[in-house]
C-alpha cells in the first residue's frame, strides 16, 4: 500500500491511498512515526476498520512529506553508484575519491522535510552550485540492533523518494558533508511511503531525475555498490536503528556537478525525482 501524510481542513493526518489513488483513507495514528511504531498488526486493524465513505478526495488534500519531522537525522550513503563515483571524482578528486572500498556514511539534518510540490531553498548569498540527487530512501520498521544481512528485509517498513539537495561549495569546502547537505529546505521527500510488501527485495526499480523536463538521471536501484541488506547489517552492528529511521541509499550519475560544464540549479527550476512503484517527487527552487 501507499501511505501518506496530508493536510485536510487545516489538520495534519496520515492515511492510505485508495487503489485508484484518488482518495485517502484517514488512519487513527498521531503521525507517520506513530503508525510505523504501532506495527503491522495495528496497521492491518486500522485498515480493516477504515470506511470507504470516509475517504478524503485526493484533490481536496495537500500532501506533506511522508515523515515531515524525522526524530533523528537522515542517514545517507555517499558515492554508492559506480557511475556517480566516477563523475564525482572528475568534479573534485580531492573531495570525492574513495580510497577504500567501504561505504561512506554521513547524516543530514532535517528540521522539516520539504513536501511534494514544496520549495527547495536556494539560500542566496550562502549557497553556490546548488545540486539535486534522486535517491531511494529506506524506512526502518522496527528497532534494529545486530541485524544480519539475511534478516535485513524483515526490518524494512517501506520506501520513499528523497532528493538529497546539496550545496557543492559548502560540501567540499568543509571537507565533510554535513553543513552542505543540511540547510533548511534541502530534504524534499515523498510523495508517499510504499510499504515493503509491495516491492520485491532487494528493490530493482527505475530511478530518475528531471530538471525542467530534461532527463538528467536515469538508472536502477540494483546498481548500488553497497546493497540495502549490507547497509542495515553494518549500521545496526554498532547503533540502534529506531522505527521511522530514514536511510538514503545514494544517487546515480547525472547530478549537476557531473556535467561538463556543470549544470547547477537556479531559482525557478523544477526538479522531478521519480522511482518506479513509489511515484514522482516534484519541487521548485526558490
Amino acid at each position: 500500500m501507499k501511505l501518506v501524510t496530508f493536510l485536510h481542513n487545516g489538520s495534519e493526518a496520515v492515511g492510505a491511498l485508495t487503489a485508484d489513488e484518488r482518495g485517502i483513507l484517514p488512519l487513527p495514528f498521531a503521525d507517520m512515526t506513530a503508525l510505523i511504531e504501532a506495527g503491522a498488526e495495528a496497521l492491518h486493524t486500522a485498515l480493516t476498520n477504515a470506511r470507504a465513505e470516509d475517504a478524503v478526495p485526493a484533490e481536496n488534500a495537500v500532501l506533506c512529506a511522508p515523515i515531515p519531522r524525522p526524530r533523528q537525522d537522515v542517514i545517507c550513503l555517499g558515492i554508492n553508484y559506480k557511475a556517480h563515483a566516477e563523475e564525482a571524482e572528475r568534479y573534485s578528486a580531492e573531495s570525492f575519491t574513495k580510497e577504500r572500498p567501504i561505504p561512506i556514511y554521513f547524516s543530514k539534518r532535517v528540521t522539516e522535510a520539504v513536501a511534494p510540490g514544496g520549495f527547495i531553498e536556494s539560500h542566496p548569498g550562502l549557497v553556490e552550485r546548488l545540486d539535486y540527487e534522486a535517491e531511494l530512501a529506506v524506512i526502518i520498521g522496527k528497532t534494529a540492533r545486530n541485524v544480519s544481512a539475511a534478516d535485513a528485509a524483515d526490518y524494512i517498513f517501506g520506501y520513499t523518494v528523497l532528493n538529497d539537495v546539496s550545496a557543492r561549495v559548502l560540501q567540499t569546502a568543509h571537507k565533510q558533508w554535513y553543513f552542505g547537505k543540511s540547510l533548511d529546505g534541502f530534504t524534499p521527500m515523498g510523495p508517499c511511503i510504499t510499504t515493503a510488501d509491495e516491492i520485491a527485495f532487494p528493490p530493482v526499480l527505475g530511478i530518475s531525475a528531471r530538471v525542467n523536463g530534461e532527463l538528467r538521471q536515469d538508472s536502477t536501484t540494483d546498481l548500488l555498490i553497497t546493497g540495502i541488506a549490507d547497509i542495515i547489517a553494518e549500521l545496526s552492528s554498532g547503533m540502534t536503528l529506531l522505527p521511522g529511521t530514514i536511510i538514503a541509499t545514494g544517487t546515480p550519475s547525472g547530478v549537476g556537478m557531473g556535467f561538463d560544464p556543470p549544470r547547477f540549479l537556479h531559482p525557478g527550476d523544477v526538479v522531478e525525482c521519480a522511482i518506479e512503484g513509489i511515484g514522482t517527487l516534484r519541487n521548485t527552487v526558490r
Side-chain angles (χ1 to χ4, degrees):
M1 79 194 72
K2 292 184 175 181
L3 300 171
V4 297
T5 298
F6 65 101
L7 291 174
H8 181 244
N9 291 336
S11 297
E12 186 177 292
V14 294
L17 291 179
T18 57
D20 60 8
E21 300 190 8
R22 295 180 179 178
I24 303 171
L25 288 171
L27 297 173
F29 301 95
D31 55 30
M32 190 65 75
T33 300
L35 183 157
I36 295 168
E37 286 184 314
E41 185 174 344
L43 177 57
H44 175 74
T45 298
L47 288 167
T48 300
N49 293 334
R51 300 185 308 173
E53 57 266 32
D54 292 334
V56 175
E59 61 187 16
N60 294 341
V62 176
L63 290 184
C64 306
I67 303 177
R69 292 164 292 278
R71 64 182 179 185
Q72 296 177 309
D73 288 0
V74 174
I75 302 172
C76 302
L77 272 285
I79 316 298
N80 202 31
Y81 286 78
K82 184 175 184 295
H84 176 58
E86 293 169 350
E87 69 178 2
E89 187 171 353
R90 288 195 301 270
Y91 176 76
S92 175
E94 179 183 5
S95 299
F96 294 110
T97 298
K98 289 181 69 171
E99 297 180 356
R100 293 179 294 164
I102 59 174
I104 295 173
Y105 296 110
F106 62 95
S107 61
K108 187 175 181 82
R109 173 71 64 179
V110 186
T111 302
E112 184 160 0
V114 179
F119 293 99
I120 296 168
E121 299 293 341
S122 61
H123 295 276
L126 174 63
V127 171
E128 299 176 57
R129 301 184 179 182
L130 183 68
D131 213 345
Y132 54 90
E133 295 187 2
E135 305 204 10
L136 175 69
V138 177
I139 313 297
I140 296 297
K142 56 185 178 181
T143 301
R145 183 69 190 267
N146 295 322
V147 175
S148 69
D151 292 335
D154 295 335
Y155 288 80
I156 298 173
F157 177 78
Y159 305 90
T160 191
V161 183
L162 186 144
N163 184 352
D164 181 18
V165 178
S166 306
R168 296 302 186 194
V169 173
L170 291 179
Q171 180 186 2
T172 57
H174 284 261
K175 307 302 179 187
Q176 50 74 38
W177 300 351
Y178 189 73
F179 186 38
K181 297 277 192 174
S182 298
L183 302 184
D184 292 345
F186 269 27
T187 312
M189 189 191 311
C192 66
I193 294 173
T194 298
T195 53
D197 59 306
E198 298 285 335
I199 294 174
F201 189 83
V204 182
L205 307 171
I207 179 171
S208 65
R210 296 178 183 270
V211 178
N212 301 327
E214 178 192 9
L215 184 63
R216 297 279 188 88
Q217 294 184 278
D218 188 16
S219 188
T220 56
T221 60
D222 58 324
L223 296 178
L224 297 173
I225 295 171
T226 302
I228 293 168
D230 290 329
I231 292 168
I232 292 173
E234 182 167 55
L235 289 174
S236 70
S237 68
M239 69 172 74
T240 301
L241 304 178
L242 297 175
T245 295
I246 303 166
I247 303 174
T249 57
T251 197
S253 63
V255 300
M257 71 175 180
F259 289 88
D260 185 15
R263 304 173 69 181
F264 295 113
L265 299 174
H266 303 282
D269 286 346
V270 176
V271 184
E272 295 173 294
C273 299
I275 298 180
E276 180 184 358
I278 302 173
T280 299
L281 174 64
R282 184 180 188 272
N283 300 96
T284 302
V285 180
R286 69 174 179 188

